[in-house]
Amino acid sequence: MKNKLALLFLFSIFGILLAFTPIKKNKETTTILTNHSSIYINVNRLIGRWEIYKLTKGNKTKENRKKYIIFHKDGRLSGGRIGKEPNKNGTWSFEKKTNTLLLNSTEDQNDLVKLEIKKLTRKDLVLMKDSTLIYLEKTK
């Protein structure tokens, strides 16, 4: 009888501990955005080197991997042709209210580009400018 009570007590304690143990969330989930949604974006996922591999406008698709862009943690931005040193520089910021990425060229202060983030994961980024979708893959 004592063994059964001890065993029941241990299982009860184990059950209580499980009930209060936080469940680890899967951080690999895809964040897909719709127009001006309020879905949370982990902006830190932007930090790193991204290669443009496809552009889509309407029913036309252009696939090539010629250019890259690097989002630096301090808000700087650099990029250029793959295999070459960066030849374009600027700054980037994120507008949370509209899920918009703002890119500004260092060379031309009036060159502000607004891109809506449509999808952001650890490996994939899809941006939209006007009606063109820009597909990028994280490489570093």
Side-chain angles (χ1 to χ4, degrees):
M1 182 73 172
K2 279 187 177 182
N3 288 340
K4 287 183 180 179
L5 285 176
L7 194 57
L8 182 61
F9 177 74
L10 286 175
F11 280 118
S12 298
I13 295 296
F14 183 73
I16 290 170
L17 288 175
L18 278 178
F20 288 103
T21 302
I23 297 172
K24 188 175 182 179
K25 293 183 179 176
N26 182 5
K27 294 186 178 181
E28 287 294 324
T29 58
T30 302
T31 305
I32 297 176
L33 306 173
T34 58
N35 292 340
H36 308 294
S37 68
S38 60
I39 296 174
Y40 173 75
I41 293 180
N42 185 350
V43 178
N44 289 327
R45 287 189 178 168
L46 284 172
I47 308 304
R49 186 174 193 265
W50 296 85
E51 291 183 3
I52 300 170
Y53 67 90
K54 180 169 71 170
L55 299 170
T56 302
K57 184 172 185 174
N59 60 357
K60 294 181 182 178
T61 299
K62 182 178 179 182
E63 293 189 39
N64 63 18
R65 199 175 279 262
K66 293 182 180 177
K67 295 185 179 182
Y68 70 93
I69 188 168
I70 301 171
F71 295 99
H72 299 275
K73 196 172 193 170
D74 63 0
R76 288 181 305 113
L77 154 69
S78 56
R81 294 183 85 54
I82 292 175
K84 301 197 182 228
E85 290 294 315
N87 63 348
K88 301 286 183 186
N89 296 297
T91 59
W92 69 273
S93 62
F94 175 69
E95 212 172 77
K96 186 177 181 178
K97 198 173 192 178
T98 59
N99 294 328
T100 304
L101 190 59
L102 304 171
L103 308 180
N104 201 345
S105 171
T106 304
E107 290 82 28
D108 184 2
Q109 293 300 324
N110 295 325
D111 188 22
L112 179 67
V113 177
K114 294 182 180 184
L115 302 161
E116 183 181 348
I117 297 177
K118 301 301 277 180
K119 178 180 178 180
L120 175 60
T121 66
R122 291 181 190 268
K123 296 274 185 190
D124 296 304
L125 173 61
V126 180
L127 302 171
M128 184 156 78
K129 171 137 177 57
D130 302 323
S131 61
T132 302
L133 289 171
I134 306 161
Y135 295 83
L136 300 100
E137 179 182 42
K138 194 167 199 177
T139 57
K140 290 184 186 177

